[in-house]
Amino acid sequence: MRNFFRKRRATADADDRMSMGGGITGGGAAGPGATPGNAAHGHPPMQSQSPLAGRPAPHLRPVGGPEGGGLGGGGLGGGLGETMRGPSGLRHDPLSSPLGGGLGGGLGAQRGQASADTELPRFTMTVNGGLRGPGAVGAPAMLKGLTPELNGLLREAFTPTRPKQQLNSLFIGRTDTLKRIISAIEEERAHVILFGDRGRGKTSVANAIEKIAGQAGYLSLKLTCSAELSFEDIFRHFLKKIPSTYYRSGIDNPFASRRSFTSFNELLPEGGFSVTELNEVLAGIHATHVLLILDEYDRVTDEDFRNKLAELFKNLTDSSIPVTLLVVGVAENLDQLLGKHPSIQRSLVPVHLPLMTDVEIGRLINAGAENAGIAFAPEAVDRVCEFVRGLPYYAQLLGLHAARSAVSRGSTVVERDDLAYAVTRCLQEAERGIVDSYARALAAERRAELEDVLLACALCPADAYGTFDPKELAGPGGAPPTKEALGILERLCREEYGGVLAPVVEPGWTRYRFRNQMMRQYVLMRQAHERGQI
């Protein structure tokens, strides 16, 4: 069997010297962990250019996959497939050779289109109605055979770059989180802080709460924060949207003269105003309950803003005013988002948004596929779950690119080759900071050992905050980690080595977490790609 794959790799090397169809586009190395039919499927096998190729991968903790393995079967590598290390595997641009054309040269050739090499890529949809523009020719810039209509359908089914706006079949999971927020607002009359790492879907949850509250008669108002907006700017914006029909003047005193105004903003003094003055204006609200949602609050850097918001929390609670604040932001803990204000703790309910379960990720992928009229092979769904580790952002991104790959080759079923293309695209589109940190972490001698430890960290079981116990790192054969491996963890925390990890120090105990939680998924995909184990 091994000789068979060696012969096949030699043949692929010869083919690559005569064409641009090689590189990483094809979706997996031609090794025992790959599908034997990849080349015939239009997906050429990946090539190993690393001097470390052929070194058996360590038996780290498996993450699933075929033949009982993880990223490649039989544990992390387990000797399956040739090891591929180093950045050389990412040099080829799949956009120049999308999936080998598929279906006898691609659907574009069947339509008699001119060669993509002689045409500039164009936008294929006008902004009005999402229809193909009269001057647009050819297929979308990314993949051949993908019509604008299908591309638009996939964009609606998989939304990695924007939160869910509607409560429909595409909103998956988060039931417990929604219940906790609703209970805090409705039963406890408390303000809510929703926090967690990037990519977990906090804004989608906030949008869901906005819709659910509106259905119950709340006046729900949402605003995305920015460093340029002041405390006064944000609350004037909110008050402009509260009509005067909700003003309580004359309710308590029928002889009081009614004020003529349009919105509550007109009740504030011109220019700046204090928290006390804002509180007095909000106290005039009746016949409704106002829910104010501050999204991306972590972008607020002004300490005066944070102090005023803390004071407003306390004043609203003490005055029993029918106004509730839902603050949403990226943070590891409450203090990181709001600062240290012990006096407001009793007024707040902190809600940490956990990672999604594998079952929820699977439902998310299948719901998007059903909405787009396609299907994901069960093993492709399993591999997505293994890569994303509960992070919906990457689930949406992998789902979108894999679905585009399948549709572009004329198929309605997403296979592992399509997932390999999706992984390649995710690696190319990764945040610059993540790529730089990864490179600095491995830019030293004993790179292979550093990669193994970093991969073991990504595979290690973690809690809802992404924190893992170094004692659970799996060494060769599942043995406990060595002192050298634990020393590498300390090194990876230092800025000169990328600052990839952050220590979580507790009395007599130190655990670790990825400083940027998206690094975990990047490591899993990058290592699976370079080891030929997608």
Side-chain angles (χ1 to χ4, degrees):
M1 181 64 73
R2 184 176 300 276
N3 290 334
F4 167 76
F5 285 106
R6 285 176 179 168
K7 290 179 181 179
R8 181 176 172 188
R9 181 175 298 281
T11 303
D13 288 338
D15 292 342
D16 281 351
R17 286 192 291 269
M18 301 179 63
S19 69
M20 293 299 292
I24 59 177
T25 308
T35 304
N38 281 356
H41 187 61
H43 294 243
M46 295 190 296
Q47 307 302 315
S48 174
Q49 302 177 11
S50 170
L52 295 172
R55 183 175 65 81
H59 296 274
L60 299 179
R61 179 177 285 104
V63 293
E67 302 181 19
L71 289 170
L76 208 158
L80 297 183
E82 295 187 26
T83 305
M84 302 184 65
R85 299 187 181 278
S88 59
L90 292 178
R91 290 174 183 166
H92 179 68
D93 184 358
L95 307 187
S96 64
S97 176
L99 298 177
L103 291 182
L107 301 180
Q110 297 178 11
R111 299 191 187 101
Q113 295 176 346
S115 171
D117 294 335
T118 61
E119 292 185 3
L120 290 174
R122 300 171 181 265
F123 286 97
T124 59
M125 287 181 287
T126 59
V127 295
N128 52 343
L131 300 177
R132 182 187 291 272
V137 295
M142 292 304 177
L143 289 172
K144 296 179 180 178
L146 190 62
T147 67
E149 294 76 18
L150 284 176
N151 193 40
L153 192 61
L154 294 177
R155 281 203 319 270
E156 292 303 316
F158 300 99
T159 57
T161 58
R162 66 185 191 276
K164 296 297 183 187
Q165 302 292 337
Q166 302 295 331
L167 284 174
N168 53 30
S169 61
L170 296 179
F171 188 91
I172 302 297
R174 302 308 190 191
T175 303
D176 291 341
T177 300
L178 293 174
K179 287 181 179 179
R180 182 67 188 102
I181 295 175
I182 292 172
S183 173
I185 295 173
E186 188 174 46
E187 299 174 13
E188 303 171 46
R189 296 299 183 186
H191 306 287
V192 179
I193 308 295
L194 178 64
F195 65 99
D197 293 301
R198 296 186 186 281
R200 296 198 179 191
K202 296 180 296 298
T203 298
S204 294
V205 171
N207 290 342
I209 290 294
E210 180 184 11
K211 298 292 190 301
I212 295 172
Q215 294 169 359
Y218 285 71
L219 178 60
S220 300
L221 305 174
K222 181 171 172 285
L223 178 68
T224 300
C225 299
S226 71
E228 293 77 22
L229 294 176
S230 67
F231 179 86
E232 289 77 10
D233 291 334
I234 286 180
F235 282 93
R236 279 194 183 279
H237 173 84
F238 279 138
L239 293 181
K240 286 178 182 178
K241 295 187 176 182
I242 304 178
S244 60
T245 52
Y246 291 122
Y247 188 59
R248 74 182 313 142
S249 175
I251 298 299
D252 298 327
N253 183 4
F255 300 101
S257 60
R258 294 186 175 272
R259 300 184 59 174
S260 176
F261 63 96
T262 303
S263 70
F264 272 61
N265 176 57
E266 299 173 34
L267 300 178
L268 288 172
E270 295 184 3
F273 55 86
S274 67
V275 176
T276 301
E277 290 172 322
L278 174 61
N279 194 74
E280 290 176 351
V281 171
L282 294 176
I285 295 175
H286 84 105
T288 189
H289 193 113
V290 179
L291 176 62
L292 305 179
I293 303 174
L294 290 173
D295 194 15
E296 297 192 25
Y297 184 68
D298 53 287
R299 297 170 63 183
V300 173
T301 57
D302 184 13
E303 191 61 29
D304 181 62
F305 190 133
R306 293 173 180 259
N307 291 335
K308 287 181 177 178
L309 186 65
E311 184 180 350
L312 181 62
F313 276 132
K314 189 174 185 304
N315 288 357
L316 289 176
T317 302
D318 293 344
S319 306
S320 298
I321 294 174
V323 176
T324 300
L325 294 173
L326 170 58
V327 177
V328 184
V330 176
E332 299 175 22
N333 53 62
L334 200 59
D335 290 344
Q336 195 177 76
L337 194 62
L338 294 177
K340 297 185 180 297
H341 294 280
S343 62
I344 65 171
Q345 296 294 326
R346 64 182 178 84
S347 307
L348 304 176
V349 171
V351 177
H352 176 255
L353 188 62
L355 294 167
M356 297 181 77
T357 65
D358 285 352
V359 172
E360 290 175 327
I361 292 294
R363 288 174 53 204
L364 184 152
I365 292 295
N366 288 323
E370 182 179 355
N371 190 72
I374 60 175
F376 275 66
E379 67 170 359
V381 176
D382 292 341
R383 293 296 280 158
V384 170
C385 293
E386 292 163 7
F387 283 133
V388 307
R389 294 301 178 98
L391 199 65
Y393 166 77
Y394 270 122
Q396 297 276 10
L397 192 60
L398 285 171
L400 175 63
H401 288 314
R404 281 174 168 170
S405 171
V407 172
S408 74
R409 61 182 175 82
S411 175
T412 58
V413 179
V414 177
E415 306 285 354
R416 286 180 66 131
D417 284 351
D418 302 308
L419 181 58
Y421 169 81
V423 167
T424 299
R425 288 296 306 272
C426 286
L427 293 176
Q428 291 178 329
E429 297 171 7
E431 293 179 11
R432 191 74 253 165
I434 290 179
V435 178
D436 291 344
S437 294
Y438 181 89
R440 291 203 309 274
L442 303 181
E445 298 178 358
R446 301 161 61 195
R447 177 187 174 99
E449 184 179 355
L450 292 171
E451 284 182 335
D452 291 344
V453 173
L454 191 58
L455 180 55
C457 293
L459 290 168
C460 191
D463 62 17
Y465 294 85
T467 305
F468 62 89
D469 187 346
K471 296 178 182 178
E472 296 188 27
L473 292 179
T482 63
K483 290 183 179 180
E484 290 76 11
L486 295 178
I488 291 177
L489 295 184
E490 296 180 4
R491 166 180 167 170
L492 291 174
C493 293
R494 286 181 272 177
E495 196 61 36
E496 60 267 31
Y497 294 107
V500 174
L501 299 179
V504 180
V505 181
E506 301 173 5
W509 190 28
T510 299
R511 296 187 296 160
Y512 295 89
R513 69 191 304 272
F514 283 97
R515 196 177 299 273
N516 184 332
Q517 287 294 295
M518 288 188 177
M519 175 66 79
R520 186 184 191 193
Q521 287 75 19
Y522 180 82
V523 170
L524 290 171
M525 290 187 290
R526 177 79 178 252
Q527 285 295 302
H529 164 68
E530 293 185 358
R531 295 170 188 250
Q533 297 165 345
I534 296 178

